[in-house]
Amino acid sequence: MRSRRVSTALGSAAALALALTACGTADVGGDGGEGGGDGGGDGIVIGVKYDQPGIGLLEGDAPVGFDVDVATYIAGELGYSPDQIEWKEAASANREAFLQQGTVDMIVATYSITDERRQVVDFAGPYYVAQQDILTQAGDEEIGAPDDLADKVLCSASGSRSAHNIVEDMEIDAELREAGNYSECLQLLTDGTVDAVTTDNIILAGFAAQNPDDYRMVNNAFGEERLGVGLPEGSTERCEEVNAAITKMWDEGKTVEFLEAHFGETDFAYQESAPEFDTCE
């Protein structure tokens, strides 16, 4: 996949604010009531993040961001117009429960596809493949790679596997601190309670772009985070419909358009080629 090199300079705060807020309502696609799915009923409930700049951030009465644009496009292809979408805040810790309990019909919330999660929910996609990275305070130059987190305090949101990837899989002796969400992690980083925050680079880029004078993105990506559309278990047919929508979204250039709208001013090295799908089961 083609990727532009990440620059550690994230540009001016004004330009970034324009990219992340004024552009927060990108021209999302989907055919509305003419989509190929079996939607078009009373509506669809979609879980997204409400606290992630550039991804899913509540502004006024509705969320905006890349995931919101992706979800709106997919819903359109399933036969739902934007005014038929009910948005639901989906924190990392409650995504599986929301799908199992029928609280939402689907989740588009930087939801990494893992074998463990596949035991209880289904996934379509991935619609985007991110990598993991690290965020520190702007003046901290000591941390440049995962190995530098040894004996440091590392924060990740409850329900996310990112910090565990470092502490357990990579066996780096960092002290793990879990917070309710990434906004809480950023507050802990600001007040010095933790030394770093780790998660998908697309999430960290949004936070760094919103506060370029406060935070530094290490820009030393590792691993792979395959972001999928979460569906209730047994949703094979709906999975195939969503995959068809994602394919069309990439083919039409809408995915890159959404990424550019939210990250174009940040020099974030977002991917520009469609990922390979998993099989719907």
Side-chain angles (χ1 to χ4, degrees):
M1 292 184 288
R2 182 168 66 90
S3 172
R4 297 172 299 176
R5 183 171 179 81
V6 179
S7 168
T8 54
L10 289 174
S12 68
L16 294 170
L18 178 63
L20 292 171
T21 56
C23 293
T25 52
D27 181 19
V28 294
D31 294 329
E34 300 176 2
D38 59 358
D42 292 336
I44 186 169
V45 184
I46 305 178
V48 296
K49 294 295 181 67
Y50 277 16
D51 69 326
Q52 293 181 353
I55 300 293
L57 184 68
L58 186 64
E59 293 189 355
D61 296 329
V64 298
F66 172 64
D67 276 358
V68 178
D69 291 346
V70 168
T72 303
Y73 185 97
I74 292 171
E77 290 300 305
L78 296 178
Y80 298 98
S81 61
D83 61 2
Q84 289 180 294
I85 300 173
E86 178 184 342
W87 300 109
K88 184 79 172 178
E89 182 179 12
S92 296
N94 63 21
R95 290 175 295 195
E96 285 86 34
F98 273 13
L99 290 169
Q100 291 174 308
Q101 296 167 2
T103 304
V104 299
D105 297 303
M106 68 173 61
I107 286 181
V108 186
T110 54
Y111 200 8
S112 297
I113 301 171
T114 68
D115 290 339
E116 181 181 5
R117 289 169 177 163
R118 278 189 175 280
Q119 300 302 309
V120 293
V121 301
D122 285 357
F123 283 100
Y127 60 91
Y128 184 79
V129 177
Q131 290 180 286
Q132 190 170 340
D133 213 322
I134 300 165
L135 195 73
T136 70
Q137 290 188 358
D140 184 349
E141 299 293 337
E142 293 184 8
I143 299 173
D147 287 344
D148 298 327
L149 293 169
D151 299 322
K152 302 288 188 181
V153 183
L154 178 63
C155 188
S156 187
S158 178
S160 170
R161 286 290 308 167
S162 297
H164 295 278
N165 291 342
I166 292 174
V167 175
E168 297 174 6
D169 299 343
M170 301 175 73
E171 298 183 346
I172 294 171
D173 189 21
E175 180 184 339
L176 179 59
R177 172 71 178 266
E178 287 196 349
N181 54 44
Y182 285 108
S183 293
E184 293 181 16
C185 276
L186 268 291
Q187 183 57 51
L188 294 174
L189 180 62
T190 298
D191 64 25
T193 302
V194 302
D195 299 298
V197 179
T198 187
T199 188
D200 302 349
N201 55 2
I202 194 171
I203 298 173
L204 297 180
F207 282 117
Q210 189 183 53
N211 302 279
D213 296 330
D214 298 327
Y215 306 124
R216 177 181 69 93
M217 191 169 169
V218 169
N219 284 323
N220 188 358
F222 55 96
E224 185 176 84
E225 299 291 339
R226 303 167 69 252
L227 306 183
V229 176
L231 300 168
E233 192 173 20
S235 300
T236 303
E237 183 177 352
R238 177 48 58 93
C239 172
E240 292 170 348
E241 293 170 351
V242 172
N243 280 350
I246 295 170
T247 299
K248 183 177 179 181
M249 183 175 67
W250 277 99
D251 288 347
E252 291 182 340
K254 299 299 289 187
T255 312
V256 173
E257 178 183 317
F258 300 154
L259 288 162
E260 182 67 20
H262 299 289
F263 300 103
E265 299 293 331
T266 69
D267 288 328
F268 167 58
Y270 56 75
Q271 301 296 334
E272 299 182 46
S273 298
E276 183 177 345
F277 292 155
D278 288 348
T279 301
C280 294
E281 298 178 352

